[in-house]
């Protein structure tokens, strides 16, 4: 069944949309009628996603964008407005991450700074550039892609701090932009089967046992939530964090199993 055209006449810009969650969200918005600008640091990945969308009958353009650079972020917004005549939706998905040092005191400044710059300041740059156009659209929405790491310890000092900061920015920007007609929300995914987990099927299988729903997430699970929060179906929702995590934060499956002697009785 073809999804309803909730986004007919809409234009959307997505960052980090060359693969994974961003690509799935771009495909979902386009399938529901939006014209989408697929941006990614890797231009070839952005082009491939945009081509896939056009092959499926959607409207899409591709552009290389480095959210770590103000001029690049502003150019992406300008490109979307020039190409589509408007901008209604911004999806901030681009992020950076790095392996923690074994000891916290051995952490280096540069990886920390880079992770925060891309994962937190990147959405700040893109939102700042997009906001006047989202206000002008009369139905503007920003959807930030956060993480359960921003709410609970799953490792990753800089990444977790950046995602927690993004949740805070979501709330403060929602308060600022709400009176101007723009909604701002955040999705906190759990473990999602993306290229970041390539070659780690055993790890994903172990992780699945910690989820009350018995599996890790797929990019399309997050794309569906993006489409909801970006649409008029969420017209009275702003400043919120929507957990799309298979119940991970709400139910301590590991503890429950431990109290049953390690048995799993879903």
């Amino acid at each position: 069944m073809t999804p309803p055209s909730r986004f007919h006449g809409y234009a959307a810009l997505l960052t980090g949309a060359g693969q994974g969650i961003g690509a799935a969200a771009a495909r979902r918005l386009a399938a529901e009628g939006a014209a989408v600008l697929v941006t990614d640091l890797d231009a070839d990945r952005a082009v491939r996603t945009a081509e896939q969308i056009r092959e499926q009958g959607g409207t899409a353009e591709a552009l290389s964008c480095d959210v770590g650079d103000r001029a690049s972020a502003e150019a992406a917004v300008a490109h979307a407005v020039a190409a589509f005549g408007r901008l209604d939706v911004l999806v901030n998905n681009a992020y950076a991450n790095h392996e923690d040092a074994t000891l916290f005191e051995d952490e280096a400044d540069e990886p920390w700074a880079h992770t925060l710059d891309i994962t937190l300041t990147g959405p700040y740059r893109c939102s700042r550039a997009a906001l006047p156009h989202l206000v002008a659209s009369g139905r503007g929405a920003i959807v930030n892609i956060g993480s359960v790491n921003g709410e609970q310890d799953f490792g990753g000092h800089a990444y977790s701090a950046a995602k927690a900061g993004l949740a805070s920015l979501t709330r403060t920007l929602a308060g600022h932009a709400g009176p101007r007609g723009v909604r701002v929300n955040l999705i906190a995914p759990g473990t999602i089967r993306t290229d970041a987990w390539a070659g780690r099927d055993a790890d994903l299988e172990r992780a699945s046992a910690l989820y009350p729903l018995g599996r890790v997430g797929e990019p399309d699970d997050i794309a569906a939530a993006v489409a909801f929060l970006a649409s008029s179906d969420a017209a009275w929702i702003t400043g919120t964090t929507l957990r799309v995590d298979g119940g991970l934060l709400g139910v301590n499956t590991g503890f429950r199993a431990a109290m049953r002697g390690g048995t799993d009785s879903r």
Side-chain angles (χ1 to χ4, degrees):
M1 179 182 296
T2 303
S5 296
R6 288 185 291 185
F7 297 105
H8 177 72
Y10 279 61
L13 187 162
L14 301 92
T15 68
Q19 61 184 3
I21 290 170
R27 290 191 296 267
R28 179 63 183 259
L29 295 178
E32 294 199 39
V36 300
L37 178 61
V38 178
T39 75
D40 199 282
L41 185 61
D42 186 322
D44 291 339
R45 285 201 303 241
V47 167
R48 284 195 295 270
T49 298
E51 287 176 344
Q52 290 170 358
I53 290 170
R54 290 194 293 268
E55 288 169 0
Q56 295 167 3
T59 300
E61 292 199 9
L63 185 71
S64 175
C65 176
D66 177 5
V67 302
D69 178 76
R70 178 174 183 170
S72 185
E74 292 177 349
V77 170
H79 187 105
V81 173
F84 307 133
R86 59 185 303 122
L87 183 63
D88 305 279
V89 176
L90 170 66
V91 180
N92 286 310
N93 175 67
Y95 74 95
N97 196 4
H98 71 275
E99 291 287 330
D100 285 344
T102 302
L103 295 176
F104 185 75
E105 55 266 37
D106 293 333
E107 290 282 346
D109 284 356
E110 194 283 329
W112 169 276
H114 178 70
T115 297
L116 264 67
D117 186 52
I118 301 302
T119 309
L120 175 57
T121 310
Y124 158 80
R125 293 185 184 101
C126 293
S127 298
R128 179 178 57 191
L131 191 56
H133 304 284
L134 298 174
V135 170
S137 84
R139 57 190 182 191
I142 298 173
V143 181
N144 294 320
I145 306 301
S147 173
V148 294
N149 288 58
E151 299 191 43
Q152 198 173 106
D153 172 29
F154 294 101
H157 300 299
Y159 178 78
S160 299
K163 291 299 190 182
L166 186 56
S168 180
L169 177 61
T170 297
R171 294 187 291 270
T172 58
L173 186 53
H176 171 80
R180 303 170 72 189
V182 177
R183 296 178 301 104
V184 188
N185 292 291
L186 178 138
I187 296 168
T191 307
I192 305 298
R193 191 188 306 275
T194 66
D195 288 346
W197 291 90
R200 299 176 62 187
D201 290 345
D203 290 338
L204 290 175
E205 183 63 27
R206 284 192 294 271
S208 295
L210 299 176
Y211 284 83
L213 294 182
R215 68 173 177 88
V216 299
E218 302 293 339
D220 285 343
D221 293 318
I222 309 306
V226 170
F228 166 65
L229 287 176
S231 78
S232 60
D233 290 338
W236 209 47
I237 301 175
T238 196
T240 195
T241 291
L242 174 62
R243 297 175 179 174
V244 186
D245 67 350
L248 180 67
L249 295 183
V251 181
N252 194 328
T253 303
F255 180 82
R256 290 161 66 95
M259 291 298 97
R260 292 190 294 266
T263 61
D264 185 357
S265 59
R266 294 195 196 98

